[in-house]
Amino acid sequence: MYAAVALVVFMCLTATTHAEHHQPCHAPNMTGVMSVMNLKGEIKAVGAFTYDSMGKKLRFRSNESHPINTSLGLDLLMFFEEGIFYEIDSKNQSCEKKALQCTMHPLDIPDDAKFYSTITSGNPSIEGEGLKVNVWTGSMPDSKGHYTMSVTMGCLPVSTFYFTESTSFLFSNMDIENEIKDPDLLVVPSFCQGQPLEETPEGTVNSFLNEFM
Ligand SMILES: *[C@@H]1O[C@H](CO)[C@@H](O)[C@H](O)[C@H]1NC(C)=O
Ligand SMILES: *[C@@H]1O[C@H](CO)[C@@H](O)[C@H](O)[C@H]1NC(C)=O
Ligand SMILES: *[C@@H]1O[C@H](CO)[C@@H](O)[C@H](O)[C@H]1NC(C)=O
Ligand SMILES: *[C@@H]1O[C@H](CO)[C@@H](O)[C@H](O)[C@H]1NC(C)=O
């Protein structure tokens, strides 16, 4: 009897620690800076992002006045739950509304990601000199590639690598604040409202990552 109880308790404990260790966390609400580089060394974009973790909404606007030369000017408003996004052109007040075929993005760990390891960059024994991250990996939905994502202990995304057959990308995040500083950035601009959904050409996969290819 006691042995059985002890065994059940033991199993529950291991299950809990197992789950704690291997259950992907979800990033909180955030505001920050994201840079996107392909592994040919080309910086594709640098800009500010705003992320609503509950609503699964993301705004990314590349900052063209950033001193680094970048090849893309992008303003994206993504609604991962609804599976749609807007490509916004604030200058001429126009936008395109498209369907998302893949909702994977570099700020949130996919639920089926596999825990890889915990690593510490820098010097963990000097305060402020070490950054401890959990590393997660997984396959791309079309399984023609994989990703590696590292997040802080508080689930703030540090960097995400995507390796695909044709190209590889590194998304790095900086200066994160754990709040949405400007909620209006997650609202569809008035000039985009009522915009018809564009047809996705056959063979096209729209995703956050694909916007940088
Ligand atoms: C995240 O932001 C959304 C939208 O502003 C808000 O509804 C939600 O309560 C926030 N979540 C937290 C945990 O602050
Ligand atoms: C764009 O980059 C410049 C130069 O680094 C910076 O001063 C400015 O605040 C940035 N703007 C936004 C919206 O992030
Ligand atoms: C940035 O781009 C401009 C115009 O395309 C080019 O003349 C300049 O050499 C580039 N600077 C760097 C550091 O690559
Ligand atoms: C807005 O500008 C972009 C390029 O800057 C152009 O491709 C697009 O056709 C323009 N849209 C309208 C409605 O003028």
PDB file of all heavy atoms in Angstrom, residues 160-187:
ATOM      1  N   THR A 160      16.687  33.183 -33.109  1.00  0.00           N
ATOM      2  CA  THR A 160      16.128  32.013 -33.783  1.00  0.00           C
ATOM      3  C   THR A 160      16.843  31.834 -35.118  1.00  0.00           C
ATOM      4  O   THR A 160      16.971  32.794 -35.883  1.00  0.00           O
ATOM      5  CB  THR A 160      14.609  32.190 -34.046  1.00  0.00           C
ATOM      6  OG1 THR A 160      13.958  32.447 -32.809  1.00  0.00           O
ATOM      7  CG2 THR A 160      14.004  30.943 -34.686  1.00  0.00           C
ATOM      8  N   PHE A 161      17.334  30.634 -35.338  1.00  0.00           N
ATOM      9  CA  PHE A 161      17.929  30.278 -36.634  1.00  0.00           C
ATOM     10  C   PHE A 161      16.920  29.436 -37.398  1.00  0.00           C
ATOM     11  O   PHE A 161      16.338  28.508 -36.826  1.00  0.00           O
ATOM     12  CB  PHE A 161      19.156  29.370 -36.447  1.00  0.00           C
ATOM     13  CG  PHE A 161      20.418  30.078 -36.115  1.00  0.00           C
ATOM     14  CD1 PHE A 161      20.907  30.085 -34.816  1.00  0.00           C
ATOM     15  CD2 PHE A 161      21.154  30.711 -37.107  1.00  0.00           C
ATOM     16  CE1 PHE A 161      22.096  30.720 -34.503  1.00  0.00           C
ATOM     17  CE2 PHE A 161      22.348  31.342 -36.807  1.00  0.00           C
ATOM     18  CZ  PHE A 161      22.816  31.349 -35.498  1.00  0.00           C
ATOM     19  N   TYR A 162      16.747  29.741 -38.669  1.00  0.00           N
ATOM     20  CA  TYR A 162      15.964  28.861 -39.533  1.00  0.00           C
ATOM     21  C   TYR A 162      16.902  28.339 -40.611  1.00  0.00           C
ATOM     22  O   TYR A 162      17.567  29.136 -41.288  1.00  0.00           O
ATOM     23  CB  TYR A 162      14.821  29.623 -40.221  1.00  0.00           C
ATOM     24  CG  TYR A 162      13.713  30.058 -39.291  1.00  0.00           C
ATOM     25  CD1 TYR A 162      13.589  31.384 -38.913  1.00  0.00           C
ATOM     26  CD2 TYR A 162      12.779  29.141 -38.814  1.00  0.00           C
ATOM     27  CE1 TYR A 162      12.561  31.784 -38.070  1.00  0.00           C
ATOM     28  CE2 TYR A 162      11.753  29.544 -37.971  1.00  0.00           C
ATOM     29  CZ  TYR A 162      11.646  30.870 -37.609  1.00  0.00           C
ATOM     30  OH  TYR A 162      10.632  31.262 -36.772  1.00  0.00           O
ATOM     31  N   PHE A 163      16.980  27.049 -40.736  1.00  0.00           N
ATOM     32  CA  PHE A 163      17.819  26.457 -41.786  1.00  0.00           C
ATOM     33  C   PHE A 163      16.877  25.806 -42.780  1.00  0.00           C
ATOM     34  O   PHE A 163      16.127  24.893 -42.408  1.00  0.00           O
ATOM     35  CB  PHE A 163      18.739  25.384 -41.199  1.00  0.00           C
ATOM     36  CG  PHE A 163      19.638  25.877 -40.109  1.00  0.00           C
ATOM     37  CD1 PHE A 163      19.280  25.759 -38.778  1.00  0.00           C
ATOM     38  CD2 PHE A 163      20.855  26.470 -40.413  1.00  0.00           C
ATOM     39  CE1 PHE A 163      20.104  26.214 -37.764  1.00  0.00           C
ATOM     40  CE2 PHE A 163      21.695  26.927 -39.400  1.00  0.00           C
ATOM     41  CZ  PHE A 163      21.322  26.797 -38.083  1.00  0.00           C
ATOM     42  N   THR A 164      16.871  26.278 -44.003  1.00  0.00           N
ATOM     43  CA  THR A 164      16.038  25.635 -45.017  1.00  0.00           C
ATOM     44  C   THR A 164      16.953  25.180 -46.148  1.00  0.00           C
ATOM     45  O   THR A 164      18.135  25.520 -46.168  1.00  0.00           O
ATOM     46  CB  THR A 164      14.954  26.585 -45.578  1.00  0.00           C
ATOM     47  OG1 THR A 164      15.591  27.557 -46.415  1.00  0.00           O
ATOM     48  CG2 THR A 164      14.210  27.302 -44.463  1.00  0.00           C
ATOM     49  N   GLU A 165      16.365  24.438 -47.084  1.00  0.00           N
ATOM     50  CA  GLU A 165      17.152  23.928 -48.206  1.00  0.00           C
ATOM     51  C   GLU A 165      17.858  25.049 -48.964  1.00  0.00           C
ATOM     52  O   GLU A 165      19.010  24.942 -49.332  1.00  0.00           O
ATOM     53  CB  GLU A 165      16.225  23.206 -49.185  1.00  0.00           C
ATOM     54  CG  GLU A 165      16.047  21.750 -48.858  1.00  0.00           C
ATOM     55  CD  GLU A 165      15.072  21.093 -49.808  1.00  0.00           C
ATOM     56  OE1 GLU A 165      14.304  21.799 -50.485  1.00  0.00           O
ATOM     57  OE2 GLU A 165      15.078  19.860 -49.853  1.00  0.00           O
ATOM     58  N   SER A 166      17.118  26.149 -49.172  1.00  0.00           N
ATOM     59  CA  SER A 166      17.650  27.188 -50.042  1.00  0.00           C
ATOM     60  C   SER A 166      18.410  28.274 -49.280  1.00  0.00           C
ATOM     61  O   SER A 166      19.311  28.896 -49.824  1.00  0.00           O
ATOM     62  CB  SER A 166      16.511  27.815 -50.825  1.00  0.00           C
ATOM     63  OG  SER A 166      15.453  28.143 -49.954  1.00  0.00           O
ATOM     64  N   THR A 167      18.039  28.510 -48.039  1.00  0.00           N
ATOM     65  CA  THR A 167      18.665  29.632 -47.348  1.00  0.00           C
ATOM     66  C   THR A 167      18.527  29.479 -45.838  1.00  0.00           C
ATOM     67  O   THR A 167      17.765  28.642 -45.364  1.00  0.00           O
ATOM     68  CB  THR A 167      18.034  30.971 -47.826  1.00  0.00           C
ATOM     69  OG1 THR A 167      18.632  32.029 -47.095  1.00  0.00           O
ATOM     70  CG2 THR A 167      16.536  31.004 -47.597  1.00  0.00           C
ATOM     71  N   SER A 168      19.298  30.271 -45.117  1.00  0.00           N
ATOM     72  CA  SER A 168      19.222  30.238 -43.661  1.00  0.00           C
ATOM     73  C   SER A 168      19.100  31.658 -43.127  1.00  0.00           C
ATOM     74  O   SER A 168      19.639  32.596 -43.723  1.00  0.00           O
ATOM     75  CB  SER A 168      20.475  29.587 -43.082  1.00  0.00           C
ATOM     76  OG  SER A 168      20.523  28.245 -43.499  1.00  0.00           O
ATOM     77  N   PHE A 169      18.395  31.782 -42.025  1.00  0.00           N
ATOM     78  CA  PHE A 169      18.152  33.102 -41.449  1.00  0.00           C
ATOM     79  C   PHE A 169      18.419  33.115 -39.968  1.00  0.00           C
ATOM     80  O   PHE A 169      18.161  32.131 -39.285  1.00  0.00           O
ATOM     81  CB  PHE A 169      16.694  33.521 -41.657  1.00  0.00           C
ATOM     82  CG  PHE A 169      16.409  33.980 -43.044  1.00  0.00           C
ATOM     83  CD1 PHE A 169      15.966  33.078 -44.001  1.00  0.00           C
ATOM     84  CD2 PHE A 169      16.597  35.307 -43.390  1.00  0.00           C
ATOM     85  CE1 PHE A 169      15.717  33.507 -45.293  1.00  0.00           C
ATOM     86  CE2 PHE A 169      16.352  35.734 -44.684  1.00  0.00           C
ATOM     87  CZ  PHE A 169      15.912  34.832 -45.639  1.00  0.00           C
ATOM     88  N   LEU A 170      18.901  34.255 -39.492  1.00  0.00           N
ATOM     89  CA  LEU A 170      19.062  34.469 -38.063  1.00  0.00           C
ATOM     90  C   LEU A 170      18.229  35.679 -37.649  1.00  0.00           C
ATOM     91  O   LEU A 170      18.422  36.779 -38.176  1.00  0.00           O
ATOM     92  CB  LEU A 170      20.546  34.731 -37.736  1.00  0.00           C
ATOM     93  CG  LEU A 170      20.836  35.223 -36.319  1.00  0.00           C
ATOM     94  CD1 LEU A 170      20.410  34.194 -35.278  1.00  0.00           C
ATOM     95  CD2 LEU A 170      22.308  35.564 -36.154  1.00  0.00           C
ATOM     96  N   PHE A 171      17.293  35.452 -36.760  1.00  0.00           N
ATOM     97  CA  PHE A 171      16.508  36.537 -36.157  1.00  0.00           C
ATOM     98  C   PHE A 171      17.074  36.781 -34.765  1.00  0.00           C
ATOM     99  O   PHE A 171      17.147  35.849 -33.966  1.00  0.00           O
ATOM    100  CB  PHE A 171      15.034  36.142 -36.028  1.00  0.00           C
ATOM    101  CG  PHE A 171      14.295  36.070 -37.334  1.00  0.00           C
ATOM    102  CD1 PHE A 171      14.494  35.005 -38.203  1.00  0.00           C
ATOM    103  CD2 PHE A 171      13.407  37.059 -37.692  1.00  0.00           C
ATOM    104  CE1 PHE A 171      13.818  34.939 -39.409  1.00  0.00           C
ATOM    105  CE2 PHE A 171      12.718  37.006 -38.909  1.00  0.00           C
ATOM    106  CZ  PHE A 171      12.927  35.940 -39.763  1.00  0.00           C
ATOM    107  N   SER A 172      17.479  38.015 -34.474  1.00  0.00           N
ATOM    108  CA  SER A 172      18.003  38.350 -33.145  1.00  0.00           C
ATOM    109  C   SER A 172      17.159  39.463 -32.547  1.00  0.00           C
ATOM    110  O   SER A 172      16.777  40.401 -33.265  1.00  0.00           O
ATOM    111  CB  SER A 172      19.429  38.858 -33.224  1.00  0.00           C
ATOM    112  OG  SER A 172      20.209  38.019 -34.005  1.00  0.00           O
ATOM    113  N   ASN A 173      16.920  39.353 -31.266  1.00  0.00           N
ATOM    114  CA  ASN A 173      16.111  40.369 -30.599  1.00  0.00           C
ATOM    115  C   ASN A 173      16.933  41.097 -29.552  1.00  0.00           C
ATOM    116  O   ASN A 173      17.766  40.499 -28.891  1.00  0.00           O
ATOM    117  CB  ASN A 173      14.896  39.724 -29.937  1.00  0.00           C
ATOM    118  CG  ASN A 173      14.104  38.916 -30.932  1.00  0.00           C
ATOM    119  OD1 ASN A 173      13.790  39.399 -32.013  1.00  0.00           O
ATOM    120  ND2 ASN A 173      13.818  37.674 -30.598  1.00  0.00           N
ATOM    121  N   MET A 174      16.663  42.400 -29.436  1.00  0.00           N
ATOM    122  CA  MET A 174      17.400  43.243 -28.492  1.00  0.00           C
ATOM    123  C   MET A 174      16.442  44.178 -27.776  1.00  0.00           C
ATOM    124  O   MET A 174      15.327  44.402 -28.257  1.00  0.00           O
ATOM    125  CB  MET A 174      18.409  44.128 -29.266  1.00  0.00           C
ATOM    126  CG  MET A 174      19.507  43.368 -29.954  1.00  0.00           C
ATOM    127  SD  MET A 174      19.986  44.181 -31.502  1.00  0.00           S
ATOM    128  CE  MET A 174      18.795  43.530 -32.634  1.00  0.00           C
ATOM    129  N   ASP A 175      16.923  44.730 -26.679  1.00  0.00           N
ATOM    130  CA  ASP A 175      16.204  45.805 -25.963  1.00  0.00           C
ATOM    131  C   ASP A 175      14.734  45.476 -25.732  1.00  0.00           C
ATOM    132  O   ASP A 175      13.852  46.295 -25.986  1.00  0.00           O
ATOM    133  CB  ASP A 175      16.322  47.130 -26.746  1.00  0.00           C
ATOM    134  CG  ASP A 175      17.756  47.578 -26.933  1.00  0.00           C
ATOM    135  OD1 ASP A 175      18.588  47.256 -26.057  1.00  0.00           O
ATOM    136  OD2 ASP A 175      18.056  48.230 -27.954  1.00  0.00           O
ATOM    137  N   ILE A 176      14.484  44.254 -25.249  1.00  0.00           N
ATOM    138  CA  ILE A 176      13.094  43.854 -25.032  1.00  0.00           C
ATOM    139  C   ILE A 176      12.550  44.474 -23.745  1.00  0.00           C
ATOM    140  O   ILE A 176      13.241  44.521 -22.730  1.00  0.00           O
ATOM    141  CB  ILE A 176      12.969  42.306 -24.971  1.00  0.00           C
ATOM    142  CG1 ILE A 176      13.344  41.709 -26.338  1.00  0.00           C
ATOM    143  CG2 ILE A 176      11.561  41.886 -24.567  1.00  0.00           C
ATOM    144  CD1 ILE A 176      13.278  40.190 -26.386  1.00  0.00           C
ATOM    145  N   GLU A 177      11.328  44.948 -23.827  1.00  0.00           N
ATOM    146  CA  GLU A 177      10.584  45.372 -22.645  1.00  0.00           C
ATOM    147  C   GLU A 177       9.362  44.479 -22.561  1.00  0.00           C
ATOM    148  O   GLU A 177       8.742  44.198 -23.593  1.00  0.00           O
ATOM    149  CB  GLU A 177      10.177  46.841 -22.765  1.00  0.00           C
ATOM    150  CG  GLU A 177      11.381  47.764 -22.687  1.00  0.00           C
ATOM    151  CD  GLU A 177      11.000  49.216 -22.900  1.00  0.00           C
ATOM    152  OE1 GLU A 177      10.303  49.779 -22.050  1.00  0.00           O
ATOM    153  OE2 GLU A 177      11.387  49.768 -23.942  1.00  0.00           O
ATOM    154  N   ASN A 178       9.023  44.049 -21.341  1.00  0.00           N
ATOM    155  CA  ASN A 178       7.932  43.081 -21.181  1.00  0.00           C
ATOM    156  C   ASN A 178       6.562  43.749 -21.148  1.00  0.00           C
ATOM    157  O   ASN A 178       5.784  43.543 -20.223  1.00  0.00           O
ATOM    158  CB  ASN A 178       8.119  42.285 -19.884  1.00  0.00           C
ATOM    159  CG  ASN A 178       9.318  41.368 -19.937  1.00  0.00           C
ATOM    160  OD1 ASN A 178      10.341  41.708 -20.543  1.00  0.00           O
ATOM    161  ND2 ASN A 178       9.209  40.224 -19.310  1.00  0.00           N
ATOM    162  N   GLU A 179       6.293  44.553 -22.129  1.00  0.00           N
ATOM    163  CA  GLU A 179       4.979  45.192 -22.210  1.00  0.00           C
ATOM    164  C   GLU A 179       4.751  45.697 -23.630  1.00  0.00           C
ATOM    165  O   GLU A 179       5.692  45.840 -24.410  1.00  0.00           O
ATOM    166  CB  GLU A 179       4.896  46.371 -21.232  1.00  0.00           C
ATOM    167  CG  GLU A 179       5.932  47.438 -21.520  1.00  0.00           C
ATOM    168  CD  GLU A 179       5.733  48.719 -20.723  1.00  0.00           C
ATOM    169  OE1 GLU A 179       4.622  48.969 -20.264  1.00  0.00           O
ATOM    170  OE2 GLU A 179       6.718  49.465 -20.588  1.00  0.00           O
ATOM    171  N   ILE A 180       3.479  45.948 -23.910  1.00  0.00           N
ATOM    172  CA  ILE A 180       3.124  46.545 -25.197  1.00  0.00           C
ATOM    173  C   ILE A 180       3.117  48.051 -24.975  1.00  0.00           C
ATOM    174  O   ILE A 180       2.304  48.561 -24.209  1.00  0.00           O
ATOM    175  CB  ILE A 180       1.748  46.031 -25.661  1.00  0.00           C
ATOM    176  CG1 ILE A 180       1.849  44.536 -25.976  1.00  0.00           C
ATOM    177  CG2 ILE A 180       1.258  46.817 -26.861  1.00  0.00           C
ATOM    178  CD1 ILE A 180       0.523  43.869 -26.242  1.00  0.00           C
ATOM    179  N   LYS A 181       4.049  48.744 -25.582  1.00  0.00           N
ATOM    180  CA  LYS A 181       4.148  50.177 -25.301  1.00  0.00           C
ATOM    181  C   LYS A 181       3.127  50.985 -26.090  1.00  0.00           C
ATOM    182  O   LYS A 181       2.643  51.990 -25.626  1.00  0.00           O
ATOM    183  CB  LYS A 181       5.572  50.670 -25.572  1.00  0.00           C
ATOM    184  CG  LYS A 181       6.539  50.138 -24.505  1.00  0.00           C
ATOM    185  CD  LYS A 181       7.961  50.517 -24.762  1.00  0.00           C
ATOM    186  CE  LYS A 181       8.270  51.932 -24.297  1.00  0.00           C
ATOM    187  NZ  LYS A 181       9.681  52.260 -24.618  1.00  0.00           N
ATOM    188  N   ASP A 182       2.828  50.517 -27.302  1.00  0.00           N
ATOM    189  CA  ASP A 182       1.850  51.247 -28.114  1.00  0.00           C
ATOM    190  C   ASP A 182       0.838  50.258 -28.700  1.00  0.00           C
ATOM    191  O   ASP A 182       1.066  49.700 -29.769  1.00  0.00           O
ATOM    192  CB  ASP A 182       2.591  52.010 -29.225  1.00  0.00           C
ATOM    193  CG  ASP A 182       1.645  52.835 -30.088  1.00  0.00           C
ATOM    194  OD1 ASP A 182       0.421  52.800 -29.824  1.00  0.00           O
ATOM    195  OD2 ASP A 182       2.137  53.505 -31.020  1.00  0.00           O
ATOM    196  N   PRO A 183      -0.276  50.041 -27.977  1.00  0.00           N
ATOM    197  CA  PRO A 183      -1.262  49.044 -28.435  1.00  0.00           C
ATOM    198  C   PRO A 183      -1.849  49.366 -29.818  1.00  0.00           C
ATOM    199  O   PRO A 183      -2.284  48.463 -30.531  1.00  0.00           O
ATOM    200  CB  PRO A 183      -2.361  49.097 -27.359  1.00  0.00           C
ATOM    201  CG  PRO A 183      -1.797  49.852 -26.219  1.00  0.00           C
ATOM    202  CD  PRO A 183      -0.678  50.693 -26.726  1.00  0.00           C
ATOM    203  N   ASP A 184      -1.815  50.649 -30.197  1.00  0.00           N
ATOM    204  CA  ASP A 184      -2.371  51.032 -31.509  1.00  0.00           C
ATOM    205  C   ASP A 184      -1.637  50.360 -32.660  1.00  0.00           C
ATOM    206  O   ASP A 184      -2.192  50.193 -33.745  1.00  0.00           O
ATOM    207  CB  ASP A 184      -2.295  52.552 -31.695  1.00  0.00           C
ATOM    208  CG  ASP A 184      -3.313  53.270 -30.830  1.00  0.00           C
ATOM    209  OD1 ASP A 184      -4.229  52.587 -30.315  1.00  0.00           O
ATOM    210  OD2 ASP A 184      -3.177  54.490 -30.655  1.00  0.00           O
ATOM    211  N   LEU A 185      -0.370  49.967 -32.414  1.00  0.00           N
ATOM    212  CA  LEU A 185       0.390  49.316 -33.484  1.00  0.00           C
ATOM    213  C   LEU A 185      -0.188  47.953 -33.842  1.00  0.00           C
ATOM    214  O   LEU A 185       0.100  47.410 -34.898  1.00  0.00           O
ATOM    215  CB  LEU A 185       1.858  49.164 -33.063  1.00  0.00           C
ATOM    216  CG  LEU A 185       2.673  50.454 -33.026  1.00  0.00           C
ATOM    217  CD1 LEU A 185       4.035  50.215 -32.401  1.00  0.00           C
ATOM    218  CD2 LEU A 185       2.828  51.016 -34.444  1.00  0.00           C
ATOM    219  N   LEU A 186      -1.016  47.408 -32.943  1.00  0.00           N
ATOM    220  CA  LEU A 186      -1.598  46.085 -33.205  1.00  0.00           C
ATOM    221  C   LEU A 186      -3.029  46.190 -33.738  1.00  0.00           C
ATOM    222  O   LEU A 186      -3.734  45.191 -33.841  1.00  0.00           O
ATOM    223  CB  LEU A 186      -1.557  45.228 -31.929  1.00  0.00           C
ATOM    224  CG  LEU A 186      -0.129  44.943 -31.417  1.00  0.00           C
ATOM    225  CD1 LEU A 186      -0.164  44.261 -30.070  1.00  0.00           C
ATOM    226  CD2 LEU A 186       0.644  44.086 -32.428  1.00  0.00           C
ATOM    227  N   VAL A 187      -3.418  47.415 -34.073  1.00  0.00           N
ATOM    228  CA  VAL A 187      -4.760  47.636 -34.619  1.00  0.00           C
ATOM    229  C   VAL A 187      -4.606  47.877 -36.129  1.00  0.00           C
ATOM    230  O   VAL A 187      -3.688  48.578 -36.561  1.00  0.00           O
ATOM    231  CB  VAL A 187      -5.417  48.861 -33.929  1.00  0.00           C
ATOM    232  CG1 VAL A 187      -6.765  49.187 -34.565  1.00  0.00           C
ATOM    233  CG2 VAL A 187      -5.560  48.614 -32.434  1.00  0.00           C
TER     234      VAL A 187
END
